[in-house]
Amino acid sequence: MNRKVIVTCALTGAGDTTAKSEYVPVTPDEIAADAIAAARAGASVVHIHVRDPETKQGSRDTALYREVVRQIKESDVDPVINLTAGMGGDLVVDPSEPTVQLPGTDLVSGLERLAHVEELRPEICTIDCGSLNFGEGSNLYVSTPDMLREGAARIKELGVKPEMEIFDTGNLWFANVMVEEGLIAPPPLYQLCMGIPYGAPVDPALLQAMVNLLPEGAQWTSFAIGRNQLPWVAQSVLLGGHVRVGLEDNLYLSKGVKATNAQLTERAIDIVTGMGSSVATPDEAREILKLEK
């Protein structure tokens, strides 16, 4: 258990959470401030979505990403920056007429989802490794093999490390295919995402099975949403992985007590160190993941 564990703080996400907690950051200033606070609390990596400051909904606006990244880079901390590239895959269909797209659809090509990555060249960006029935209703997340291969090839050309987001075992199967095809530079980085309806359920035995399918030399992180987030820190460390916490996935520090990103980071670090491991500094994380800064 005596090893370096990378702690990622996922700051805001794109979910409809801003009305549920006043601590969910919305504007570029708020998101950057939370990233800096999480880094000061010990986070190795900050995972960044942006939101439209007016609607508070998730956004793909490169200008918003640019401002968040600028403020982090001009601060007194230097966390690894991980930008989502998952926005632009939402398809909401009319269940009685599936060819009709309903409000909430934001569906663009795999390459268009990388516009901010092209400009800002973060050290890490995410790539969601498959399509998914996303929750109740008629909302689909669309990420086809053709989109993924094209996106992975471009991410590799840019010198950015893809964090392959795995929402079920089929996603993992295809991620492994991309590794075998040479589309992912070593070491491959997997994020095993548990509890998102209707992907992989929060089950330690399933996490172990997924870990068993990872290729030799892979680095991996896992998280679970909601009340399972903090217990999953321990579960991930026990199986040899890194960890992720943050308001993207969970709003509470304990029952009825709303959290900040810095508080969730501090609690995760307490769990990691209490298990006999230590938390990787940003530079140690860069070395573990072989990042190009």
Side-chain angles (χ1 to χ4, degrees), residues 101-246:
Q101 297 181 4
L102 297 180
T105 295
D106 178 31
L107 190 60
V108 299
S109 72
L111 291 183
E112 192 172 347
R113 299 176 200 184
L114 297 174
H116 58 300
V117 177
E118 291 269 0
E119 177 180 326
L120 299 172
R121 307 290 175 94
E123 295 171 86
I124 302 175
C125 75
T126 64
I127 182 168
D128 296 331
C129 288
S131 301
L132 181 72
N133 286 329
F134 203 83
E136 301 293 345
S138 298
N139 187 6
L140 308 173
Y141 184 79
V142 178
S143 187
T144 68
D146 284 346
M147 289 177 174
L148 286 163
R149 285 189 171 97
E150 186 176 43
R154 183 57 183 149
I155 291 167
K156 187 176 183 181
E157 289 172 356
L158 294 172
V160 175
K161 171 72 70 175
E163 181 185 74
M164 295 183 288
E165 306 286 290
I166 307 300
F167 294 93
D168 66 21
T169 52
N171 292 179
L172 178 54
W173 182 357
F174 187 75
N176 287 346
V177 168
M178 290 199 292
V179 172
E180 292 167 2
E181 292 177 351
L183 291 167
I184 308 297
L189 173 59
Y190 294 74
Q191 177 71 262
L192 307 178
C193 313
M194 317 298 285
I196 291 94
Y198 286 101
V202 179
D203 183 326
L206 178 57
L207 179 64
Q208 178 68 77
M210 294 170 80
V211 170
N212 291 345
L213 293 173
L214 296 175
E216 185 176 354
Q219 293 290 332
W220 65 275
T221 300
S222 181
F223 71 87
I225 65 171
R227 64 184 179 182
N228 293 300
Q229 182 181 81
L230 291 170
W232 210 252
V233 170
Q235 184 62 61
S236 190
V237 172
L238 279 171
L239 294 183
H242 305 292
V243 302
R244 166 171 142 173
V245 292

Side-chain angles (χ1 to χ4, degrees), residues 20 24 28 49 74 93 145 176 223 226 240 261:
K20 299 175 182 178
V24 176
H49 287 247
E74 291 180 358
V93 300
N176 287 346
F223 71 87
N261 279 306

Side-chain angles (χ1 to χ4, degrees), residues 33-71:
D34 263 30
I36 293 165
R40 288 175 179 161
S44 323
V45 179
V46 288
H47 173 58
I48 299 167
H49 287 247
V50 293
R51 292 177 181 261
D52 183 308
E54 298 299 323
T55 67
K56 300 185 179 181
Q57 300 303 303
S59 173
R60 292 186 285 109
D61 188 339
T62 296
L64 298 174
Y65 283 104
R66 186 186 307 123
E67 180 59 18
V68 174
V69 170
R70 180 191 68 79
Q71 291 191 37

